[in-house]
């Protein structure tokens, strides 16, 4: 039997993967389950609250809050691709995932991740126009353009990811089926293939460059212009307020994009086992939990809208 026939037979036998996630910490199974469940609930409630506030409060109907509503909804979708399965694995200790389920999870993870990168760039552009060209802001950021920018952000990654995921799962897989990760990510899946992955790695590099590096550079360019404009403001108070907002946004962007760039664009050199898993916790879990605080809850309009809802709820219960 030749090597090609063996590869084909092995590939047909491999119908599922095993996500190792935190198998080495099995003694902390229920602690980790409780911790990640709390994190998931906080992410869904905080982002869901912001999404609802932007829909019901008349004061939150500007382009900035239109983008923020989409961003909050996107964050809920993004974490829902990975966290529920991780919670299920922790609770049941059954870590098997079929090839179809793995490909589906990978597809939605990267489509939504691409959308988040692009939407963050759109939000930075919105702030650039608002601060650097305030007189032209209503004309430039009209409703039609806002809808097009958001729609483009949501769908831009779809065709590319369909091609990339199809290409990855067309590879022959043989030998070990254990993925040292808590979700189906590209680098650990490619490591399990016994075929030539050079083309896949090039496609991954191009995708990361298009959907991560380019938006990141656009964000940096927008905020550079914003900071330059802020420095021209007449009072120290207004400068400090604007810098506070910009620094918070940039911190969130640096955390999300920084860990993403390191994960998908670093060279394949020797690094500690599980590094990708640790890095991915930052952009899949930590940024979605901090983003509502950074982008919304420090905003006076959002906090006022939240107080109005709380006031109405308290009075409705009293009645």
């Amino acid at each position: 039997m030749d090597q090609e026939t063996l590869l084909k037979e092995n590939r047909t036998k491999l119908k599922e993967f095993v996500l190792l996630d935190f198998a080495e910490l099995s003694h902390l199974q229920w602690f980790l389950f409780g911790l990640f469940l709390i994190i998931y609930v906080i992410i869904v409630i905080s982002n869901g609250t912001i999404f609802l506030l932007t829909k019901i409060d008349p004061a939150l109907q500007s382009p900035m809050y239109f983008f923020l509503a989409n961003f909050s909804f996107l964050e809920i979708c993004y974490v829902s691709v990975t966290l529920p399965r991780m919670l299920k694995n922790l609770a049941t200790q059954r870590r098997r995932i079929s090839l179809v389920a793995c490909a589906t999870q990978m597809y939605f993870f990267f489509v939504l991740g691409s959308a988040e990168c692009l939407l963050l760039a759109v939000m930075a552009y919105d702030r650039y126009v608002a601060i650097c060209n305030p007189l032209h802001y209503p004309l430039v950021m009209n409703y039609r353009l806002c809808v097009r920018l958001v729609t483009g952000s949501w769908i831009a990654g779809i065709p590319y990811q369909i091609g990339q995921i199809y290409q990855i799962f067309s590879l022959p897989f043989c030998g070990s089926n254990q993925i040292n990760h808590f979700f189906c990510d590209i680098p650990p899946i490619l490591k399990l293939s016994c075929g030539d992955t050079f083309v896949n790695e090039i496609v991954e590099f191009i995708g990361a460059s298009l959907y991560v590096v380019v938006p990141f550079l656009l964000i940096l360019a927008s905020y550079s212009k914003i900071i330059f404009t802020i420095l021209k403001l007449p009072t120290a108070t207004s400068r400090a307020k604007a810098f506070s907002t910009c620094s918070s946004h940039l911190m969130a962007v640096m955390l999300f994009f920084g860990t993403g760039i390191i994960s998908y664009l670093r060279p394949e050199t020797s690094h500690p086992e599980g590094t990708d898993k640790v890095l991915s916790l930052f952009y899949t879990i930590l940024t979605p939990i901090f983003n509502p605080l950074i982008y919304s809850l420090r905003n006076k309009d959002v906090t006022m809208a939240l107080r109005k809802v709380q006031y109405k709820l308290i009075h409705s219960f009293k009645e």
Side-chain angles (χ1 to χ4, degrees):
M1 189 179 290
D2 60 16
Q3 188 178 2
E4 188 178 346
T5 309
L6 279 171
L7 287 176
K8 284 181 179 177
E9 284 194 1
N10 280 334
R11 187 181 168 191
T12 55
K13 289 176 187 175
L14 202 157
K15 295 181 180 178
E16 61 184 12
F17 293 117
V18 177
L19 289 165
L20 295 180
D21 49 62
F22 303 101
E24 71 277 11
L25 300 173
S26 55
H27 58 290
L28 297 174
Q29 169 192 355
W30 291 110
F31 170 76
L32 291 172
F33 176 84
L35 175 64
F36 288 119
L37 179 62
I38 290 168
I39 288 172
Y40 183 58
V41 170
I42 290 172
I43 290 170
V44 171
I45 290 176
S46 57
N47 283 286
T49 300
I50 291 162
F51 177 79
L52 290 173
L53 285 175
T54 58
K55 296 299 176 186
I56 63 176
D57 196 292
L60 303 179
Q61 302 306 310
S62 67
M64 180 176 78
Y65 297 111
F66 175 70
F67 295 134
L68 191 58
N70 277 273
F71 185 67
S72 298
F73 180 68
L74 177 60
E75 290 283 55
I76 294 171
C77 297
Y78 186 59
V79 295
S80 296
V81 172
T82 55
L83 267 178
R85 169 149 310 253
M86 185 170 74
L87 290 169
K88 179 191 168 188
N89 291 347
L90 284 168
T92 63
Q93 293 294 296
R94 295 179 63 187
R95 300 183 174 88
R96 298 183 181 278
I97 183 170
S98 69
L99 261 69
V100 173
C102 188
T104 303
Q105 185 187 57
M106 187 186 289
Y107 167 75
F108 281 107
F109 178 79
F110 282 101
V111 166
L112 293 171
S114 302
E116 180 154 350
C117 293
L118 295 170
L119 196 52
L120 282 169
V122 167
M123 291 168 74
Y125 174 70
D126 172 70
R127 291 299 82 209
Y128 160 73
V129 177
I131 294 171
C132 301
N133 296 291
L135 297 177
H136 296 97
Y137 182 71
L139 183 65
V140 174
M141 300 305 294
N142 58 71
Y143 181 73
R144 182 179 293 180
L145 177 65
C146 292
V147 170
R148 285 178 177 175
L149 288 171
V150 165
T151 305
S153 298
W154 278 93
I155 68 173
I158 292 175
Y160 192 89
Q161 296 306 333
I162 288 174
Q164 178 169 235
I165 304 307
Y166 175 79
Q167 193 179 40
I168 289 169
F169 284 87
S170 296
L171 288 168
F173 294 101
C174 45
S176 174
N177 66 341
Q178 295 185 340
I179 304 171
N180 188 20
H181 217 308
F182 61 88
F183 68 94
C184 290
D185 201 1
I186 292 175
I189 292 287
L190 291 181
K191 286 177 184 175
L192 298 182
S193 174
C194 48
D196 185 5
T197 61
F198 177 75
V199 174
N200 302 88
E201 288 165 8
I202 293 297
V203 170
E204 180 196 357
F205 181 84
I206 293 169
S209 300
L210 284 174
Y211 296 107
V212 181
V213 176
V214 171
F216 181 59
L217 293 176
L218 290 173
I219 290 168
L220 290 183
S222 297
Y223 275 105
S224 298
K225 290 277 189 180
I226 289 168
I227 291 168
F228 185 73
T229 303
I230 288 170
L231 290 172
K232 294 180 179 179
L233 292 175
T235 64
T237 307
S238 57
R239 284 198 298 271
K241 182 182 174 183
F243 266 123
S244 173
T245 305
C246 286
S247 61
S248 299
H249 291 189
L250 277 174
M251 192 167 59
V253 165
M254 293 296 286
L255 181 65
F256 179 75
F257 281 93
T259 50
I261 288 169
I262 293 169
S263 295
Y264 298 105
L265 289 176
R266 71 179 175 190
E268 280 296 319
T269 54
S270 58
H271 52 268
E273 187 74 16
T275 303
D276 291 328
K277 189 161 56 176
V278 174
L279 284 171
S280 64
L281 286 172
F282 284 92
Y283 58 82
T284 58
I285 295 173
L286 285 183
T287 52
I289 204 170
F290 288 132
N291 280 339
L293 177 66
I294 291 169
Y295 282 96
S296 310
L297 299 180
R298 293 181 66 194
N299 182 295
K300 285 185 179 179
D301 292 333
V302 174
T303 51
M304 282 294 292
L306 191 58
R307 283 172 188 167
K308 282 186 213 172
V309 171
Q310 288 174 337
Y311 180 80
K312 287 178 182 177
L313 286 172
I314 290 168
H315 277 265
S316 64
F317 280 124
K318 284 182 179 178
E319 291 173 3

